[in-house]
Amino acid sequence: MLQSMKIEGGHRLEGTIEISGAKNLALPAIASSLLTDQQVILHNVPKLTDVASMLGLLGYLGCDVSRSGDTVTLCTKDVINVDAPYDYVRKMRASILCLSPLVARCGRAEISLPGGCAIGLRSVDLHIRTLILMGANVSIEDGLIKAYAPNGLIGCDIDFPKVTVTGTENALMAGVFAKGVTRLINVAKEPEVQEFAKLLNLMGAKISGIGTSVLEIEGVEQLHGTEFSIIPDRIEAGTYAIASAITHGSIFLKNCVYDHLQSFFTALQQTGTTIQNRKDGVLITNDLDTIYPYCIYTNPYPAFPTDLQAQYMVLMSVCHGNATITENLFENRFMHAQELTRMGARIYIDGKNARITGVPSLKGAPVMATDLRASVALVLAGLAAEGTTIVNRLYHIDRGYENIDDKLRSCGAVLERVGQ
Ligand code: UD1
């Protein structure tokens, strides 16, 4: 828990990094196994603490969980508990993904309310609203979301006032057994959401409109087991793409799917980085002496992803000129900026805009990670900085980056974990 990462900056990175399975698909995929009493086999599941937390929660709920390499086998013959205690939810907000499958299968669920979160309020009102619109009785008592639908959920039209990723996934799971047709309007279209809908269809669900803003679910009586492979993690790939660009290096992102990161790659190209889409991955090279400024704003897919905003800010902090980054999704997702200024970056925050004036180079310093993406952003800053950087509170990083030390070291990074 008290580990830090010590990084000696200034080394050009070159090599190949194999991209792991997507955390943001693995988590809902694991939760969806609650919808059947048969075996769900998931391949390419990354070894992350968030995944371990979700598997722990599933075990508590009554699922038989086993893991062999990157394959996870799940089977919930009987649901034993219908509650997600605070200890699980505190560690991982995505525990909310158990809400709908429990209500859909057991007619009730009690999920501890996720509290505030470092990157913003991140309320779950839209998850709850879906269940209420579908006929469930939902109350919030003693910090718990208590949902009851003893006679099952009822299909209806649900128009999302805001695009929500896990909210869409929960709504899909609510709809699979609902009576009649459920229509979800203004849904998230992230590749992980699309793949998730495909997984449910493989289990016997009837979901149409995948990839569009409207998903239609025809309720079925039951789902069955299946075998499914998790797509590569586009956020992990984007993070290493910036590692390559900022160290003026050349990294081949094995398995990276170019199309999943189009907006991000378009921006990266404008900074002077060369991006080559190859058959089995994407090559990121930066041979220039200069990083050009390029302004971006985050929004739901297919726009520039909020989960790459912190990392992109590090790149802009050493650009030649000025750039503005606008964060449209989370109201408090600039906490890395303060730490970057301790490394010499010039960043001025004005509401949801960060105005950055590039400096010739960052300087190594002790810094503190506040959340998952902020922690990896500070590692990127350390790789590019002059001297030694120590990133404290490193534990956030293992929630979302499998084997990051070895992956970076294999490309020439000089870093080590210190502390315990
Ligand atoms: C998911 C991702 C996370 C990513 C985020 C946005 C997972 C496990 N996590 O998080 O990595 O940063 O999408 O791409 O997939 N909102 C509400 N009410 C709700 C739900 C959301 O107001 O009930 C708001 C949020 O505060 C936020 C916006 O909607 O401003 C988008 O959040 P959402 O897409 O729900 O994020 P998550 O699904 O939690």
Side-chain angles (χ1 to χ4, degrees):
M1 279 305 245
L2 296 171
Q3 271 190 343
S4 304
M5 190 181 278
K6 187 173 167 192
I7 306 154
E8 184 192 299
H11 297 275
R12 178 178 184 270
L13 299 191
E14 183 165 2
T16 294
I17 292 180
E18 196 169 328
I19 302 306
S20 301
K23 167 178 88 73
N24 287 352
L25 175 58
L27 298 177
I30 291 166
S32 73
S33 71
L34 290 168
L35 291 164
T36 171
D37 61 4
Q38 295 180 16
Q39 217 172 52
V40 174
I41 301 170
L42 301 174
H43 299 292
N44 203 28
V45 179
K47 286 194 193 72
L48 301 169
T49 48
D50 269 9
V51 168
S53 299
M54 188 59 111
L55 293 175
L57 175 55
L58 268 270
Y60 169 79
L61 296 173
C63 177
D64 192 8
V65 179
S66 67
R67 175 160 202 152
S68 162
D70 66 3
T71 297
V72 169
T73 305
L74 304 147
C75 187
T76 314
K77 282 237 166 314
D78 296 298
V79 175
I80 298 170
N81 295 304
V82 290
D83 64 309
Y86 184 60
D87 222 32
Y88 288 104
V89 183
R90 177 178 63 82
K91 278 191 228 142
M92 190 194 44
R93 286 180 42 86
S95 309
I96 190 73
L97 284 164
C98 292
L99 175 65
S100 284
L102 286 173
V103 176
R105 179 158 168 189
C106 310
R108 67 195 184 96
E110 284 187 11
I111 309 287
S112 189
L113 203 57
C117 161
I119 63 167
L121 292 170
R122 297 186 85 172
S123 78
V124 288
D125 56 320
L126 300 175
H127 299 244
I128 294 170
R129 176 177 170 265
T130 297
L131 291 178
I132 294 173
L133 289 172
M134 297 179 77
N137 207 322
V138 186
S139 61
I140 310 237
E141 287 167 47
D142 312 323
L144 293 173
I145 305 165
K146 296 186 176 181
Y148 296 91
N151 300 318
L153 296 166
I154 301 154
C156 66
D157 279 7
I158 297 162
D159 198 343
F160 285 90
K162 225 180 207 181
V163 175
T164 154
V165 171
T166 49
T168 300
E169 290 159 351
N170 248 335
L172 282 169
M173 291 189 279
V176 287
F177 298 147
K179 289 183 192 83
V181 173
T182 305
R183 243 173 22 116
L184 309 177
I185 301 150
N186 194 28
V187 296
K189 290 180 286 199
E190 271 68 1
E192 295 78 19
V193 178
Q194 297 186 34
E195 286 293 308
F196 181 63
K198 287 181 201 163
L199 164 62
L200 292 175
N201 277 350
L202 280 174
M203 292 167 75
K206 288 192 175 164
I207 300 167
S208 57
I210 296 173
T212 73
S213 297
V214 180
L215 291 169
E216 202 166 286
I217 315 149
E218 205 184 309
V220 295
E221 287 292 312
Q222 56 181 20
L223 296 189
H224 51 74
T226 193
E227 204 166 334
F228 184 77
S229 193
I230 305 290
I231 53 169
D233 195 311
R234 66 197 164 97
I235 305 302
E236 188 199 16
T239 301
Y240 292 127
I242 290 188
S244 183
I246 203 167
T247 63
H248 300 276
S250 180
I251 299 181
F252 180 63
L253 309 170
K254 190 161 176 235
N255 302 334
C256 170
V257 181
Y258 179 91
D259 289 351
H260 291 171
L261 277 170
Q262 253 184 16
S263 308
F264 169 76
F265 282 144
T266 303
L268 198 58
Q269 213 155 17
Q270 298 298 319
T271 70
T273 305
T274 305
I275 293 147
Q276 285 176 51
N277 183 12
R278 298 196 173 160
K279 202 172 71 218
D280 54 344
V282 180
L283 178 66
I284 310 291
T285 312
N286 193 314
D287 293 328
L288 305 177
D289 294 333
T290 304
I291 308 273
Y292 294 107
Y294 185 71
C295 302
I296 59 112
Y297 57 90
T298 66
N299 257 335
Y301 189 83
F304 192 104
T306 175
D307 284 350
L308 284 171
Q309 177 260 107
Q311 300 90 313
Y312 187 78
M313 186 181 288
V314 179
L315 186 65
M316 286 302 95
S317 68
V318 291
C319 77
H320 188 76
N322 301 298
T324 300
I325 294 180
T326 305
E327 172 57 58
N328 285 320
L329 283 170
F330 294 111
E331 61 276 11
N332 196 15
R333 209 174 199 181
F334 283 143
M335 280 178 301
H336 44 281
Q338 210 176 351
E339 297 301 295
L340 290 174
T341 55
R342 302 189 61 250
M343 298 177 72
R346 290 174 60 197
I347 304 166
Y348 170 69
I349 305 291
D350 176 15
K352 58 184 191 172
N353 297 311
R355 298 187 212 288
I356 304 146
T357 299
V359 292
S361 74
L362 296 171
K363 310 273 182 269
V367 287
M368 187 81 84
T370 46
D371 66 62
L372 169 57
R373 306 304 169 187
S375 62
V376 84
L378 294 173
V379 170
L380 292 175
L383 292 172
E386 285 171 12
T388 304
T389 298
I390 297 185
V391 182
N392 294 304
R393 287 212 195 140
L394 193 69
Y395 57 89
H396 291 287
I397 221 165
D398 297 319
R399 291 185 38 220
Y401 291 87
E402 183 176 60
N403 229 349
I404 182 167
D405 317 34
D406 289 342
K407 287 187 183 188
L408 285 172
R409 263 197 294 255
S410 75
C411 293
V414 178
L415 49 84
E416 60 173 334
R417 291 208 186 202
V418 290
Q420 18 166 298

PDB file of all heavy atoms in Angstrom, residues 12-28:
ATOM      1  N   ARG A  12      15.091   7.479 -23.853  1.00  0.00           N
ATOM      2  CA  ARG A  12      14.215   7.271 -25.009  1.00  0.00           C
ATOM      3  C   ARG A  12      13.667   5.841 -24.939  1.00  0.00           C
ATOM      4  O   ARG A  12      14.425   4.902 -24.692  1.00  0.00           O
ATOM      5  CB  ARG A  12      15.041   7.462 -26.282  1.00  0.00           C
ATOM      6  CG  ARG A  12      14.275   7.220 -27.552  1.00  0.00           C
ATOM      7  CD  ARG A  12      15.173   7.472 -28.774  1.00  0.00           C
ATOM      8  NE  ARG A  12      14.383   7.317 -29.980  1.00  0.00           N
ATOM      9  CZ  ARG A  12      14.224   6.187 -30.637  1.00  0.00           C
ATOM     10  NH1 ARG A  12      14.823   5.090 -30.197  1.00  0.00           N
ATOM     11  NH2 ARG A  12      13.467   6.132 -31.726  1.00  0.00           N
ATOM     12  N   LEU A  13      12.365   5.675 -25.138  1.00  0.00           N
ATOM     13  CA  LEU A  13      11.777   4.329 -25.060  1.00  0.00           C
ATOM     14  C   LEU A  13      11.639   3.735 -26.457  1.00  0.00           C
ATOM     15  O   LEU A  13      11.169   4.399 -27.385  1.00  0.00           O
ATOM     16  CB  LEU A  13      10.412   4.376 -24.378  1.00  0.00           C
ATOM     17  CG  LEU A  13      10.363   4.886 -22.934  1.00  0.00           C
ATOM     18  CD1 LEU A  13       9.005   4.611 -22.307  1.00  0.00           C
ATOM     19  CD2 LEU A  13      11.458   4.252 -22.073  1.00  0.00           C
ATOM     20  N   GLU A  14      12.014   2.489 -26.568  1.00  0.00           N
ATOM     21  CA  GLU A  14      11.885   1.808 -27.861  1.00  0.00           C
ATOM     22  C   GLU A  14      11.619   0.326 -27.631  1.00  0.00           C
ATOM     23  O   GLU A  14      12.280  -0.295 -26.787  1.00  0.00           O
ATOM     24  CB  GLU A  14      13.187   1.976 -28.667  1.00  0.00           C
ATOM     25  CG  GLU A  14      13.074   1.344 -30.026  1.00  0.00           C
ATOM     26  CD  GLU A  14      14.179   1.776 -30.991  1.00  0.00           C
ATOM     27  OE1 GLU A  14      15.060   2.551 -30.598  1.00  0.00           O
ATOM     28  OE2 GLU A  14      14.121   1.300 -32.135  1.00  0.00           O
ATOM     29  N   GLY A  15      10.672  -0.229 -28.336  1.00  0.00           N
ATOM     30  CA  GLY A  15      10.394  -1.658 -28.197  1.00  0.00           C
ATOM     31  C   GLY A  15       8.934  -1.972 -28.477  1.00  0.00           C
ATOM     32  O   GLY A  15       8.228  -1.205 -29.137  1.00  0.00           O
ATOM     33  N   THR A  16       8.505  -3.116 -27.953  1.00  0.00           N
ATOM     34  CA  THR A  16       7.134  -3.571 -28.181  1.00  0.00           C
ATOM     35  C   THR A  16       6.449  -3.755 -26.834  1.00  0.00           C
ATOM     36  O   THR A  16       7.034  -4.329 -25.914  1.00  0.00           O
ATOM     37  CB  THR A  16       7.142  -4.924 -28.939  1.00  0.00           C
ATOM     38  OG1 THR A  16       7.668  -4.684 -30.250  1.00  0.00           O
ATOM     39  CG2 THR A  16       5.749  -5.524 -29.071  1.00  0.00           C
ATOM     40  N   ILE A  17       5.221  -3.279 -26.719  1.00  0.00           N
ATOM     41  CA  ILE A  17       4.440  -3.515 -25.501  1.00  0.00           C
ATOM     42  C   ILE A  17       3.143  -4.217 -25.908  1.00  0.00           C
ATOM     43  O   ILE A  17       2.417  -3.741 -26.789  1.00  0.00           O
ATOM     44  CB  ILE A  17       4.121  -2.188 -24.766  1.00  0.00           C
ATOM     45  CG1 ILE A  17       5.417  -1.580 -24.191  1.00  0.00           C
ATOM     46  CG2 ILE A  17       3.097  -2.418 -23.643  1.00  0.00           C
ATOM     47  CD1 ILE A  17       5.239  -0.272 -23.437  1.00  0.00           C
ATOM     48  N   GLU A  18       2.894  -5.357 -25.256  1.00  0.00           N
ATOM     49  CA  GLU A  18       1.670  -6.089 -25.560  1.00  0.00           C
ATOM     50  C   GLU A  18       0.543  -5.527 -24.687  1.00  0.00           C
ATOM     51  O   GLU A  18       0.674  -5.467 -23.461  1.00  0.00           O
ATOM     52  CB  GLU A  18       1.897  -7.575 -25.262  1.00  0.00           C
ATOM     53  CG  GLU A  18       0.848  -8.440 -25.892  1.00  0.00           C
ATOM     54  CD  GLU A  18       1.227  -9.920 -25.832  1.00  0.00           C
ATOM     55  OE1 GLU A  18       2.427 -10.264 -25.877  1.00  0.00           O
ATOM     56  OE2 GLU A  18       0.287 -10.724 -25.730  1.00  0.00           O
ATOM     57  N   ILE A  19      -0.533  -5.127 -25.325  1.00  0.00           N
ATOM     58  CA  ILE A  19      -1.638  -4.503 -24.600  1.00  0.00           C
ATOM     59  C   ILE A  19      -2.520  -5.591 -23.972  1.00  0.00           C
ATOM     60  O   ILE A  19      -2.893  -6.564 -24.629  1.00  0.00           O
ATOM     61  CB  ILE A  19      -2.453  -3.592 -25.556  1.00  0.00           C
ATOM     62  CG1 ILE A  19      -1.527  -2.513 -26.183  1.00  0.00           C
ATOM     63  CG2 ILE A  19      -3.631  -2.947 -24.836  1.00  0.00           C
ATOM     64  CD1 ILE A  19      -0.750  -1.677 -25.194  1.00  0.00           C
ATOM     65  N   SER A  20      -2.860  -5.403 -22.708  1.00  0.00           N
ATOM     66  CA  SER A  20      -3.669  -6.391 -21.972  1.00  0.00           C
ATOM     67  C   SER A  20      -5.155  -6.202 -22.275  1.00  0.00           C
ATOM     68  O   SER A  20      -5.551  -5.246 -22.956  1.00  0.00           O
ATOM     69  CB  SER A  20      -3.432  -6.228 -20.478  1.00  0.00           C
ATOM     70  OG  SER A  20      -2.074  -6.397 -20.177  1.00  0.00           O
ATOM     71  N   GLY A  21      -5.968  -7.093 -21.715  1.00  0.00           N
ATOM     72  CA  GLY A  21      -7.423  -6.991 -21.896  1.00  0.00           C
ATOM     73  C   GLY A  21      -7.973  -5.752 -21.206  1.00  0.00           C
ATOM     74  O   GLY A  21      -7.400  -5.248 -20.234  1.00  0.00           O
ATOM     75  N   ALA A  22      -9.106  -5.263 -21.716  1.00  0.00           N
ATOM     76  CA  ALA A  22      -9.677  -3.999 -21.238  1.00  0.00           C
ATOM     77  C   ALA A  22     -10.342  -4.152 -19.871  1.00  0.00           C
ATOM     78  O   ALA A  22     -11.290  -4.920 -19.716  1.00  0.00           O
ATOM     79  CB  ALA A  22     -10.692  -3.468 -22.243  1.00  0.00           C
ATOM     80  N   LYS A  23      -9.843  -3.384 -18.912  1.00  0.00           N
ATOM     81  CA  LYS A  23     -10.441  -3.380 -17.559  1.00  0.00           C
ATOM     82  C   LYS A  23     -11.935  -3.048 -17.641  1.00  0.00           C
ATOM     83  O   LYS A  23     -12.758  -3.696 -16.997  1.00  0.00           O
ATOM     84  CB  LYS A  23      -9.731  -2.333 -16.693  1.00  0.00           C
ATOM     85  CG  LYS A  23     -10.451  -2.008 -15.393  1.00  0.00           C
ATOM     86  CD  LYS A  23      -9.698  -1.006 -14.555  1.00  0.00           C
ATOM     87  CE  LYS A  23      -9.983   0.441 -14.834  1.00  0.00           C
ATOM     88  NZ  LYS A  23     -11.288   0.942 -14.369  1.00  0.00           N
ATOM     89  N   ASN A  24     -12.260  -2.027 -18.445  1.00  0.00           N
ATOM     90  CA  ASN A  24     -13.646  -1.545 -18.453  1.00  0.00           C
ATOM     91  C   ASN A  24     -14.615  -2.458 -19.205  1.00  0.00           C
ATOM     92  O   ASN A  24     -15.806  -2.175 -19.267  1.00  0.00           O
ATOM     93  CB  ASN A  24     -13.714  -0.121 -19.009  1.00  0.00           C
ATOM     94  CG  ASN A  24     -13.164   0.877 -18.004  1.00  0.00           C
ATOM     95  OD1 ASN A  24     -12.866   0.523 -16.857  1.00  0.00           O
ATOM     96  ND2 ASN A  24     -13.024   2.124 -18.433  1.00  0.00           N
ATOM     97  N   LEU A  25     -14.091  -3.538 -19.787  1.00  0.00           N
ATOM     98  CA  LEU A  25     -14.986  -4.585 -20.294  1.00  0.00           C
ATOM     99  C   LEU A  25     -14.958  -5.784 -19.343  1.00  0.00           C
ATOM    100  O   LEU A  25     -16.001  -6.411 -19.092  1.00  0.00           O
ATOM    101  CB  LEU A  25     -14.584  -5.015 -21.714  1.00  0.00           C
ATOM    102  CG  LEU A  25     -15.381  -6.184 -22.294  1.00  0.00           C
ATOM    103  CD1 LEU A  25     -16.885  -5.874 -22.324  1.00  0.00           C
ATOM    104  CD2 LEU A  25     -14.901  -6.513 -23.707  1.00  0.00           C
ATOM    105  N   ALA A  26     -13.774  -6.062 -18.788  1.00  0.00           N
ATOM    106  CA  ALA A  26     -13.665  -7.217 -17.876  1.00  0.00           C
ATOM    107  C   ALA A  26     -14.635  -7.060 -16.705  1.00  0.00           C
ATOM    108  O   ALA A  26     -15.305  -8.033 -16.311  1.00  0.00           O
ATOM    109  CB  ALA A  26     -12.227  -7.362 -17.384  1.00  0.00           C
ATOM    110  N   LEU A  27     -14.744  -5.844 -16.156  1.00  0.00           N
ATOM    111  CA  LEU A  27     -15.573  -5.654 -14.955  1.00  0.00           C
ATOM    112  C   LEU A  27     -17.058  -5.938 -15.217  1.00  0.00           C
ATOM    113  O   LEU A  27     -17.665  -6.743 -14.500  1.00  0.00           O
ATOM    114  CB  LEU A  27     -15.359  -4.250 -14.365  1.00  0.00           C
ATOM    115  CG  LEU A  27     -13.919  -3.965 -13.890  1.00  0.00           C
ATOM    116  CD1 LEU A  27     -13.783  -2.529 -13.392  1.00  0.00           C
ATOM    117  CD2 LEU A  27     -13.506  -4.936 -12.789  1.00  0.00           C
ATOM    118  N   PRO A  28     -17.695  -5.322 -16.232  1.00  0.00           N
ATOM    119  CA  PRO A  28     -19.093  -5.677 -16.476  1.00  0.00           C
ATOM    120  C   PRO A  28     -19.267  -7.125 -16.934  1.00  0.00           C
ATOM    121  O   PRO A  28     -20.277  -7.762 -16.627  1.00  0.00           O
ATOM    122  CB  PRO A  28     -19.553  -4.691 -17.568  1.00  0.00           C
ATOM    123  CG  PRO A  28     -18.306  -4.190 -18.190  1.00  0.00           C
ATOM    124  CD  PRO A  28     -17.259  -4.227 -17.122  1.00  0.00           C
TER     125      PRO A  28
END
